[in-house]
């Protein structure tokens, strides 16, 4: 991850203004989600909820992405008087961030899945290669990553960081909101909810220092894609298509995550805590180095 050369230090907005704009955003998102979902249902011919195909899920998720992005852009420009670049989607010089997100996801599942196999908490009982499902699943999780990162990190966390709140408190608030978005997922329980809060922290912690979304978008994308379509876990309690590996869990417990997927496991908890600490250490150390160099270069 690369740190932004400069993060503008501006007079923080009043908390009331920020909370009001966040309220407008959430209401607008819910309204547009309802409108777009109705339109999608009409186009798809009112299918039963349990009978959606993977391609139909892609269409639904695209509509959700629009519901998240459109009000964010409108409120930023006409209410907050902020540039759209505040959403953190600047691509200049961010190629390494996308690569680091991929590597972080590989580390998370390489270690986590490896430990689960070694402990006998999961078994691979089959391999099924369906290139179409893998490709469509990849597109679906791209849309999921953009939707949730623009909404939770780009807009919500970005607005909170312009208040007088401590940056880590802002991260915590946005992470709780992120977890609550998954509250009605199948098989949710205390440990999965805790892990979703930690996942929000992991996805958002680099944004505190870079104000850029390409690392969390990449990590979010490959986190979901590796977990579900590749390894065969459920993704936050849901399964949308066939997977490359067919897994068998000897029993459902906190080591393998049970019916919620790897995100419901204590192995995932430990790995996320480690990765959050490593990212904070990296940027705080880098900030301290810059501060020292600036001080040494100052003449009195």
């Amino acid at each position: 991850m690369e740190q932004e050369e400069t993060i503008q230090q501006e007079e923080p907005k009043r908390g009331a203004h920020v909370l009001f704009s966040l309220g407008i955003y959430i209401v607008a998102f819910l309204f547009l989600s309802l409108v777009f979902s109705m339109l999608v249902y009409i186009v798809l011919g009112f299918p039963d909820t349990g009978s959606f195909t993977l391609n139909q899920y892609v269409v639904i998720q695209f509509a959700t992405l629009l519901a998240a992005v459109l009000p964010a852009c409108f409120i930023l420009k006409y209410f907050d008087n902020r540039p759209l670049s505040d959403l953190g989607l600047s691509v200049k010089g961010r190629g390494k961030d996308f690569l680091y997100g991929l590597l972080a996801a590989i580390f998370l599942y390489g270690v986590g899945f490896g430990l689960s196999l070694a402990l006998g908490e999961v078994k691979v009982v089959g391999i099924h290669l369906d290139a179409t499902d893998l490709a469509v699943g990849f597109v679906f999780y791209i849309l999921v990553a953009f939707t949730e990162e623009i909404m939770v990190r780009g807009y919500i966390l970005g607005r909170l960081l312009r208040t007088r709140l401590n940056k880590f408190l802002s991260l915590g608030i946005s992470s709780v909101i992120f977890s609550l978005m998954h509250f009605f997922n199948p098989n949710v329980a205390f440990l999965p909810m805790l892990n979703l809060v930690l996942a929000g922290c992991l996805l958002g912690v680099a944004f505190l220092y870079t104000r850029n979304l390409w690392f969390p978008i990449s990590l979010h994308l490959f986190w979901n894609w590796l977990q579900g379509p590749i390894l065969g876990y459920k993704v936050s309690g849901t399964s949308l298509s066939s997977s490359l590996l067919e897994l068998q869990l000897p029993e459902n417990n906190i080591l393998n995550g049970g019916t919620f997927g790897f995100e419901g496991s204590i192995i995932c908890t430990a790995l996320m805590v480690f990765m959050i600490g490593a990212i904070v250490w990296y940027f705080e150390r880098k900030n301290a180095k810059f501060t020292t160099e600036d001080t040494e270069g100052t003449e009195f």
Side-chain angles (χ1 to χ4, degrees):
M1 290 161 286
E2 294 183 359
Q3 188 172 11
E4 296 282 2
E5 292 182 4
T6 59
I7 294 178
Q8 293 181 349
Q9 300 297 322
E10 301 178 6
E11 182 65 22
K13 289 279 189 182
R14 289 178 299 171
H17 175 94
V18 171
L19 290 177
F20 187 61
S21 68
L22 289 177
I24 293 175
Y25 176 70
I26 292 172
V27 170
F29 169 73
L30 293 175
F31 174 74
L32 288 178
S33 294
L34 177 62
V35 171
F36 289 158
S37 63
M38 290 176 62
L39 292 174
V40 167
Y41 268 65
I42 292 172
V43 171
L44 297 180
F46 298 98
D48 294 331
T49 303
S51 64
F52 288 131
T53 66
L54 184 55
N55 288 334
Q56 289 172 333
Y57 274 116
V58 169
V59 175
I60 293 168
Q61 188 57 49
F62 180 74
T64 306
L65 174 60
L66 290 178
V69 172
L70 293 178
C73 292
F74 182 86
I75 296 170
L76 268 178
K77 185 174 182 180
Y78 295 106
F79 184 78
D80 288 337
N81 297 315
R82 300 293 312 162
L84 297 183
S85 59
D86 265 21
L87 286 177
L89 292 173
S90 171
V91 297
K92 185 178 180 180
R94 312 314 299 190
K96 288 184 178 179
D97 288 17
F98 195 85
L99 174 61
Y100 291 146
L102 168 61
L103 294 176
I106 291 174
F107 170 80
L108 179 72
Y109 282 104
V111 174
F113 186 62
L115 282 174
S116 299
L117 284 174
L119 293 171
E121 292 299 329
V122 297
K123 295 180 180 178
V124 178
V125 295
I127 300 177
H128 308 285
L129 178 59
D130 187 324
T132 300
D133 271 2
L134 289 177
V136 177
F138 190 78
V139 172
F140 174 76
Y141 286 119
I142 287 176
L143 296 174
V144 170
F146 270 93
T147 301
E148 296 184 359
E149 293 312 310
I150 289 173
M151 181 178 183
V152 181
R153 258 63 65 176
Y155 189 80
I156 294 177
L157 179 55
R159 297 309 93 210
L160 291 173
L161 289 173
R162 292 196 175 278
T163 69
R164 291 180 172 83
L165 286 176
N166 175 275
K167 63 185 178 183
F168 293 111
L169 178 58
S170 298
L171 176 63
I173 293 171
S174 67
S175 299
V176 170
I177 293 173
F178 176 71
S179 70
L180 292 176
M181 290 169 59
H182 301 79
F183 185 76
F184 294 105
N185 282 31
N187 307 307
V188 74
F190 173 76
L191 185 57
M193 286 300 290
L194 173 62
N195 280 351
L196 286 168
V197 174
L198 289 173
C201 291
L202 176 57
L203 291 165
V205 67
F207 186 81
L208 301 183
Y209 301 94
T210 67
R211 301 295 198 272
N212 192 275
L213 285 180
W214 287 108
F215 173 77
I217 285 173
S218 175
L219 174 55
H220 200 151
L221 160 62
F222 290 108
W223 173 315
N224 285 338
W225 192 64
L226 290 175
Q227 181 179 197
I230 298 296
L231 296 178
Y233 286 103
K234 290 188 175 181
V235 180
S236 300
T238 62
S239 180
L240 301 180
S241 65
S242 63
S243 58
L244 179 63
L245 301 184
E246 181 182 349
L247 298 184
Q248 181 184 78
L249 308 182
E251 62 176 355
N252 296 327
N253 56 44
I254 62 172
L255 284 175
N256 57 38
T259 54
F260 195 77
F262 185 71
E263 294 167 359
S265 76
I266 199 165
I267 296 175
C268 183
T269 309
L271 288 171
M272 286 193 294
V273 169
F274 169 77
M275 292 174 72
I276 292 167
I279 293 172
V280 171
W281 174 83
Y282 169 80
F283 280 112
E284 291 292 337
R285 182 171 174 268
K286 193 169 185 178
N287 282 346
K289 180 180 178 181
F290 286 150
T291 302
T292 301
E293 290 176 350
D294 289 343
T295 302
E296 290 175 351
T298 301
E299 295 182 1
F300 296 93

